[in-house]
Amino acid sequence: MTDQFCSPRAAPLPRPEVYFASPVYHGGLDYVELEALQLIPEEVLDFSVNSNPFGPSPCVRQALASIPLDRYPDREALALRRVLAERLHVTPEHIVVSNGAAELFWLIAMAYLSVGDVVLVLSPTFGEYARVAHMQGARVHLWTARAEDGFVIAEEEVSHLLKQLRPRLLFICNPNNPTGTIL
């Protein structure tokens, strides 16, 4: 009799939505491409990641230096949510703080999507929208703006598609990245 703990087993596979997912690139430098082009990464300004090539302002550096590193920050971001709520004329319960937009998209998908739900993504756009929906098992439909039309959203086409598909979620990036168009 073979000991079940000593016998070799196949590694467990993740859910098919995860295992077969296509990679999504958020931007950032492709070091293989830069090497092929004989470019030095430190000399390239990368606008794809929405970062400031000059770094944070001295005021931000000063504020960061005053943050205690020996304890976790407020996990509810209550002070920040209160300030934002006051400025936006809503209650703090209406504000969600996340570690970047991608985390927020994941939280939305996990909260609102189930296997088989329909999602509409207006593209070309940030790849994470379709990725989070696919990972939740949703059926993703893309409406793609055309370069020859200046990537302008054809509102009547999208409206028709919304009526036809009746999606659980619609992802619109406004202003859009990478096209820069505004709806």
Side-chain angles (χ1 to χ4, degrees), residues 145-152:
R146 295 175 284 279
E148 59 270 18
D149 297 333
F151 295 107
V152 172

Side-chain angles (χ1 to χ4, degrees), residues 59-114:
C59 295
V60 171
R61 288 184 190 276
Q62 184 179 358
L64 290 174
S66 69
I67 295 173
L69 299 176
D70 59 344
R71 62 186 173 104
Y72 274 85
D74 172 14
R75 66 177 172 245
E76 301 297 325
L78 189 55
L80 175 61
R81 288 176 40 235
R82 285 179 175 153
V83 169
L84 290 171
E86 183 176 325
R87 183 177 177 110
L88 298 170
H89 309 290
V90 297
T91 65
E93 292 75 25
H94 287 96
I95 305 289
V96 176
V97 176
S98 69
N99 294 309
E103 181 189 30
L104 189 57
F105 306 146
W106 279 97
L107 292 172
I108 289 168
M110 286 189 287
Y112 293 101
L113 293 177
S114 297

Side-chain angles (χ1 to χ4, degrees), residues 5 8 14 16 20 23 37 44 48 50 53 82 91 96 99 110 112 117-118 124 132 138 153 173 179 183:
F5 297 104
F20 294 108
L37 295 170
V44 175
S48 69
N50 296 323
R82 285 179 175 153
T91 65
V96 176
N99 294 309
M110 286 189 287
Y112 293 101
D117 282 344
V118 174
V132 299
I153 303 294
C173 184
T179 65
L183 179 64

Side-chain angles (χ1 to χ4, degrees), residues 98-173:
S98 69
N99 294 309
E103 181 189 30
L104 189 57
F105 306 146
W106 279 97
L107 292 172
I108 289 168
M110 286 189 287
Y112 293 101
L113 293 177
S114 297
V115 173
D117 282 344
V118 174
V119 171
L120 179 60
V121 178
L122 304 188
S123 69
T125 194
F126 186 48
E128 199 69 20
Y129 301 136
R131 181 181 181 83
V132 299
H134 278 297
M135 293 287 192
Q136 295 300 80
R139 294 179 292 134
V140 178
H141 296 266
L142 297 177
W143 179 87
T144 304
R146 295 175 284 279
E148 59 270 18
D149 297 333
F151 295 107
V152 172
I153 303 294
E155 293 180 35
E156 286 186 25
E157 287 181 32
V158 173
S159 179
H160 175 75
L161 204 51
L162 286 169
K163 290 174 186 168
Q164 178 187 348
L165 296 173
R166 301 191 49 80
R168 175 89 167 135
L169 285 180
L170 166 65
F171 282 102
I172 303 172
C173 184

